[in-house]
Amino acid sequence: MDYTEPQFFRVMQYAARADRDVVDMVSGNPDWDPPEGLRDGLRDYAEAPADDYQYPPSVGLTPLRDEIAARRGVDRTRVLVTNGAGEANHLAMTGGLHHFDGNEILLTDPVYPYYAGRANFIGADISFVPVDEANRLDPADVRAAASDETAVIVVNSPNNPTGAVYDADAMAEFAAIAEEYDALLLSDEVYDHFDYAGRFSSALHADSDHVVATNSFSKTMAITGFRVGYAIFPPEDGPTGSLIERARTQHMLTNVTGSRPAQYAVLRALKTTSPDYYAACRRRLEERVDDFCTALAEAGAEYNRPDGGFYVMARFPDFPGSFENVYELIDEAGVAGMPGEAFGESRSDWIRFALVTPRVDEAAARLAAYFE
C-alpha cells in the first residue's frame, strides 16, 4: 500500500460524488454534542479582553497543562499541548529518530494509515508486526521484530482499526522492549475513554524514560475540529530529557503555538464536565457495536467485536476489502466504509466501519440487504 498520500480522502471523495444517499462510515467524527462547558467557555472567551486574543504560551496554556498533568499523574513540565494528536505523534516520531541510533519505526499490521504515512514523510525505515488472530499485538512478536535498527515502536490502544485494548502488563512489556533495544515507545491513547472491556492502561504507568504518551480531546469531547491534543514526554532531567526540549522547538518552529480559544474552552470543559457525559458517550457506542455486530452476523459476515474505540472490521464472503469493492458498496448499497487493504496486508480481506453516525441501524440494514 502506498502511504505517501492520505487514503481516507479517496473513499470520502468517491462517496461525495455518488449519485445516491450514502451513509458515511469512513471518518471518525463523533456525531454527538460536545460538553456544555465547552460551549460556555467559548461564549465567555468572546468577551475576553484584547490581551487574550494574542499568542498563548507555545507549550500550551499553563492552567490546561496543569489540568492534564494532574489527571495523568505527571509533572507539568512533561506536558506539551499540540495541534491534535497527529502533531503529538509527529513530534514523538521525529524525536525518537533523532535521539536513538536506529532509523526504523515498528508499526502494527493492520495500521492506522497516518502512522505509516508520517513514517514515510520523515524518511524512516518501516517494519510491520502483524496482530494475532484475536486482533492483538503480541509483545513476543514485537520483541522478535525489534533490533538495533529500531528507533520507535508505535502502539495504539484502544486501537484503530482493530478495537484491541492493552492492559498494564502488555504496556509494561512494550516499554521493556523499547528499553531493551534503546528505542522509544510511542503510545497513542486517543480513544482511552472508549474502553468497553475495562482493560485499558496508559503506557505512562510503566514509568519508563523510553515512553511518550499522546492523546487529544477530539474524540473524547466530540471536537475533532478544535485540534487540541498533547504529548507527555519523559522527565527533562532524565536520560531522554532532550526529547521534550526538541519537541518544544519543533512545535514552535512549525506552528508557533496552538489556538488560545480552543484551549480555553477545553480547559473549561475539563473542569465542569461530569463523568456522566463520558459514560453516556461510551454507552452510546457500546449499543451501536451490539446492533451493528448483530446485523453483520445476520448478513453472514465475519466480524471483530471491538474492546474499545469506534470501529468494527467485517469480512463478507467472496468480497475482499479492496478499494474497488468499497466503491461498489457505496454505489450499490449506499454505505461507505474503509477498505482493509488501506490498513495493511494482514486484514486486506476486511472492511472497517466507523460507528460514529446515528444511521448505524440503517447502514446495517443496507449491508444485510446487499449481501442476502
Side-chain angles (χ1 to χ4, degrees), residues 46-224:
E47 303 303 323
D51 285 350
D52 284 348
Y53 281 76
Q54 311 313 315
Y55 294 122
S58 181
V59 293
L61 292 180
T62 299
L64 177 58
R65 293 170 64 223
D66 280 336
E67 188 70 19
I68 293 169
R71 289 167 179 259
R72 295 300 183 188
V74 301
D75 190 85
R76 183 184 72 203
T77 58
R78 297 175 58 185
V79 179
L80 175 63
V81 177
T82 59
N83 287 283
E87 189 203 0
N89 291 330
H90 180 85
L91 293 173
M93 281 188 182
T94 57
L97 285 177
H98 181 264
H99 182 87
F100 299 103
D101 289 337
N103 192 56
E104 177 189 66
I105 295 180
L106 284 186
L107 301 172
T108 61
D109 182 0
V111 65
Y112 175 52
Y114 279 18
Y115 299 148
R118 189 167 291 114
N120 274 332
F121 178 72
I122 61 180
D125 299 323
I126 306 173
S127 293
F128 293 96
V129 184
V131 300
D132 61 21
E133 290 301 315
N135 291 307
R136 298 176 60 77
L137 188 63
D138 188 330
D141 292 336
V142 176
R143 177 172 277 105
S147 71
D148 292 339
E149 292 301 312
T150 305
V152 181
I153 301 168
V154 179
V155 176
N156 171 216
S157 173
N159 184 265
N160 174 12
T162 68
V165 179
Y166 298 106
D167 61 16
D169 289 341
M171 280 299 185
E173 288 193 65
F174 293 139
I177 296 167
E179 291 179 0
E180 180 180 343
Y181 287 95
D182 199 26
L184 177 70
L185 174 64
L186 167 53
S187 178
D188 184 350
E189 302 172 359
V190 69
Y191 296 99
D192 59 346
H193 277 67
F194 299 93
D195 170 22
Y196 316 129
R199 184 182 296 128
F200 172 80
S201 180
S202 173
L204 294 172
H205 296 154
D207 194 25
S208 170
D209 287 318
H210 289 249
V211 168
V212 172
T214 62
N215 211 317
S216 87
F217 302 98
S218 293
K219 315 295 185 179
T220 303
M221 295 185 179
I223 51 169
T224 57

Side-chain angles (χ1 to χ4, degrees), residues 1 9 41 51 75 94 116 127 134 146 213 272 280 290 294 327 330 338 367:
M1 174 56 58
F9 288 104
D51 285 350
D75 190 85
T94 57
S127 293
T272 61
D290 286 340
T294 298
Y327 295 157
I330 291 171
M338 271 301 291
L367 290 171

Side-chain angles (χ1 to χ4, degrees), residues 291-322:
D291 294 345
F292 194 66
C293 288
T294 298
L296 287 172
E298 293 173 354
E302 183 180 353
Y303 61 88
N304 74 302
R305 182 180 179 84
D307 287 333
F310 288 175
Y311 311 102
V312 170
M313 298 195 80
R315 178 163 58 180
F316 299 92
D318 302 316
F319 200 82
S322 64

